[in-house]
């Protein structure tokens, strides 16, 4: 009888092991664990303003901080920030030190075997910045213009790519994106190609400049959970979708950038 039962149930057991990560009866409880604890632990490296940094009072603040807390509200839990060095964020997530990374984290296709990424909440790629009352509205309008860049940056790379198409572009390099944008202020017919973060911050403080079009190269900022945390990932993605639809995400971006 025991042999017959073994023969009967062995295929079923093998099937369960193949269909689920931990065999029959197992399920992803990542969201349930967070909700039962009442706390979402967020890994963060507070060294990249305005996304995350330590203010004069010693508090961690920034766009990602507000975004994390807003997502926590959507999930019905408190948010606890766990400070980690940038290089150690993925290892600490894998070790279970926190549930989620929100830290101006660029999408990395090489890590998709280890983590689940959210959809992007910001594109930090290089953009064209020009004078609002000028005639630059698209990349081809840069022909015959001076284009200011940060030397060695992705903006520099994209400007040189454009120069291959329109040879009349004159590229002028500076040590920082800030310096490139300051040079643009004195050149009404020129443009700059810098990262989207620098562009938005400078545009906010200097009337008369505007970002032209979409980023020339995508550098998506995303959130990450451990690869098996599918239920938590789904809940975060749903919360992020709601923030997009109701305008809260845009309001956060406008507040900090």
């Amino acid at each position: 009888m025991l042999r017959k039962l073994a023969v009967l149930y062995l295929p079923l057991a093998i099937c369960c092991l193949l269909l689920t990560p931990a065999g029959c009866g197992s399920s992803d409880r990542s969201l349930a664990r967070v909700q039962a604890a009442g706390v979402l632990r967020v890994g963060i490296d507070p060294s990249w303003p305005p996304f995350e940094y330590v203010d004069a009072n010693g508090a961690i603040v920034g766009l990602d901080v507000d975004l994390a807390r807003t997502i926590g509200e959507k999930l019905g839990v408190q948010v606890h920030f766990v400070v980690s060095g940038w290089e150690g964020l993925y290892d600490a997530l894998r070790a279970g030190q926190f549930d989620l990374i929100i830290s101006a984290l660029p999408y990395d296709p090489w890590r998709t075997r280890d983590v689940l990424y959210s959809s992007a909440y910001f594109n930090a790629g290089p953009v064209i910045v020009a004078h609002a009352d000028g005639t630059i509205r698209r990349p081809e309008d840069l022909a015959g213009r001076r284009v200011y860049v940060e030397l060695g940056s992705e903006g520099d790379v994209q400007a040189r790519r454009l120069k291959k198409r329109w040879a009349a572009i004159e590229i002028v390099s500076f040590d920082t994106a800030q310096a490139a944008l300051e040079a643009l202020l004195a050149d009404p017919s020129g443009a700059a190609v810098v990262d989207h973060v620098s562009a938005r911050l400078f545009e906010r403080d200097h009337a008369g400049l505007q970002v032209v079009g979409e980023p020339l190269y995508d550098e998506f900022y995303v959130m990450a959970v451990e690869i098996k945390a599918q239920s938590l990932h789904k809940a975060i993605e749903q919360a992020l979708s709601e923030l997009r639809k109701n305008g809260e995400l845009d309001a956060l971006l406008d507040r900090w950038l």
Side-chain angles (χ1 to χ4, degrees):
M1 178 64 71
L2 289 176
R3 289 181 178 178
K4 290 181 179 180
L5 288 174
V7 171
L8 177 64
Y9 285 108
L10 182 59
L12 178 61
I14 293 173
C15 180
C16 288
L17 288 171
L18 290 174
L19 292 176
T20 63
C24 287
S26 68
S27 62
D28 165 38
R29 293 185 50 80
S30 55
L31 177 60
R33 283 195 298 270
V34 166
Q35 292 179 326
V39 176
L40 177 67
R41 300 169 301 156
V42 175
I44 196 167
D45 173 18
S47 63
W48 183 241
F51 285 85
E52 46 270 320
Y53 63 99
V54 179
D55 68 9
N57 298 318
I60 300 175
V61 297
L63 192 158
D64 284 342
V65 174
D66 286 354
L67 178 58
R69 287 180 174 144
T70 303
I71 288 175
E73 290 175 3
K74 297 289 185 184
L75 300 185
V77 298
Q78 298 293 314
V79 171
H80 172 66
F81 293 100
V82 181
V83 175
S84 172
W86 174 259
E87 297 298 332
L89 281 169
Y90 283 107
D91 288 340
L93 176 68
R94 188 162 47 248
Q97 294 181 23
F98 36 76
D99 310 298
L100 171 69
I101 300 174
I102 305 181
S103 192
L105 190 73
Y107 173 79
D108 184 352
W110 295 103
R111 293 188 179 272
T112 52
R113 290 186 177 182
D114 301 315
V115 301
L116 294 173
Y117 285 120
S118 73
S119 54
Y121 61 90
F122 183 70
N123 189 344
V127 293
I128 298 171
V129 182
H131 289 264
D133 57 356
T135 57
I136 298 176
R137 296 290 181 268
R138 51 189 181 174
E140 48 264 47
D141 294 334
L142 297 180
R145 316 268 188 164
R146 279 198 181 97
V147 176
Y148 304 99
V149 301
E150 177 186 1
L151 182 63
S153 68
E154 186 60 41
D156 188 0
V157 172
Q158 294 303 313
R160 295 182 188 282
R161 181 181 65 82
L162 295 174
K163 183 177 174 62
K164 290 181 179 180
R165 298 184 63 183
W166 298 287
I169 293 175
E170 179 186 351
I171 296 176
V172 184
S173 302
F174 292 86
D175 290 336
T176 65
Q178 175 83 11
L181 290 165
E182 288 174 351
L184 172 62
L185 285 175
D187 183 357
S189 64
V193 179
V194 297
D195 68 274
H196 200 182
V197 176
S198 296
R200 286 189 63 143
L201 291 174
F202 198 85
E203 177 190 16
R204 183 181 65 183
D205 297 333
H206 297 81
L209 295 181
Q210 66 178 8
V211 172
V212 177
E214 298 297 319
L216 300 171
Y217 175 86
D218 292 328
E219 185 177 343
F220 293 123
Y221 284 0
V222 294
M223 300 171 245
V225 299
E226 200 270 334
I227 188 68
K228 295 181 181 179
Q230 296 184 13
S231 60
L232 179 59
H233 176 265
K234 182 178 179 180
I236 289 170
E237 196 61 31
Q238 181 177 346
L240 191 55
S241 176
E242 291 177 8
L243 294 177
R244 288 194 191 93
K245 289 178 181 178
N246 64 23
E248 288 184 78
L249 180 58
D250 285 338
L252 281 177
L253 293 172
D254 289 340
R255 176 186 175 187
W256 289 100
L257 293 174

